[in-house]
Amino acid sequence: MQKSTESGGDRLHNKIRKLTGKAIGDFNLIEAGDRIAVGVSGGKDSYSLLHILDSLRRRAPVRYELVAVNIDAGFPGYRREVLEEHLRQHDFTYHLETTSAYAIIEEKRRPGSSYCSFCARLRRGALYVVAEQLGCNKIALGHHLDDFIETLLLNQFYVGTLGAMSPKLRADNGRHTVIRPFVYVEEQDIIAYCRSNAFPVICCACPVCGIVDQKRKRMKRLLRELAAENPHLKRSMIAALGNIHPQQLLDRKFHSF
Ligand code: SF4
């Protein structure tokens, strides 16, 4: 029993590692001399990203460094010590930053506005500042394939734009590059990988912790239903993002018509 769990874990590790390595190559995500701040929240995606990047780093032909960075928004009950213990046990270089994001959100958020977007903005700003202080030129985030294609659908259905996320982009401050090495990795594999490694997942302890946005939930359900009929659906969608035919679209920026 134990043996098959281990081999399943190895298989997953190798699969995720391979897909991450492919993304790094396809989008030139990591270069020699990079010092990369890996955003870690204590959730499944960021634990997995940190471990996979570290595994790749050990056998990479170029030298680069990783620093795990946690931005603690100050939500009461956030068990940061669990994350810290894990980082220490695995000998990661890390930095934990305490912020007053929670207090700011409580004081400044307009009634009815999104808790998450305000919080995410504050945390992202803090992450940029810390990355700068730590001498990191890149910031790695744990968004995965499902995040990309759900965002694509959300933008089409509710925003009226055709776009998802970028695997590599210049940060808002113009000084860092944000990379998303899990662009080819499906969420279901991350969940299984996280379970097989028993990563000590902690909740962010915010008021909306664990509540998936209703629209995103709907997209997840739609994709699940369609993927049950076509197992290649998600791969096809992510491939579509790299295979655009602007001449078959209506955007006047690309056509004089
Ligand atoms: S889920 Fe919670 S911690 Fe995460 S962005 Fe939303 S409010 Fe912030």
Side-chain angles (χ1 to χ4, degrees), residues 73 75 105 115-117 119-120 123 204 206-210:
F75 295 118
I105 299 168
Y115 208 99
C116 269
S117 53
C119 172
R123 288 154 56 110
C204 50
C206 71
V208 294
C209 180

Side-chain angles (χ1 to χ4, degrees), residues 104-120:
I104 297 171
I105 299 168
E106 288 297 300
E107 192 193 324
K108 302 255 163 90
R109 187 174 68 97
R110 286 193 312 278
S113 66
S114 159
Y115 208 99
C116 269
S117 53
F118 197 3
C119 172

Side-chain angles (χ1 to χ4, degrees), residues 6-25:
E6 276 173 14
S7 62
D10 286 350
R11 187 185 49 76
L12 261 177
H13 177 86
N14 292 337
K15 179 181 178 186
I16 297 175
R17 203 173 175 280
K18 195 167 157 200
L19 290 168
T20 308
K22 178 168 167 46
I24 291 171

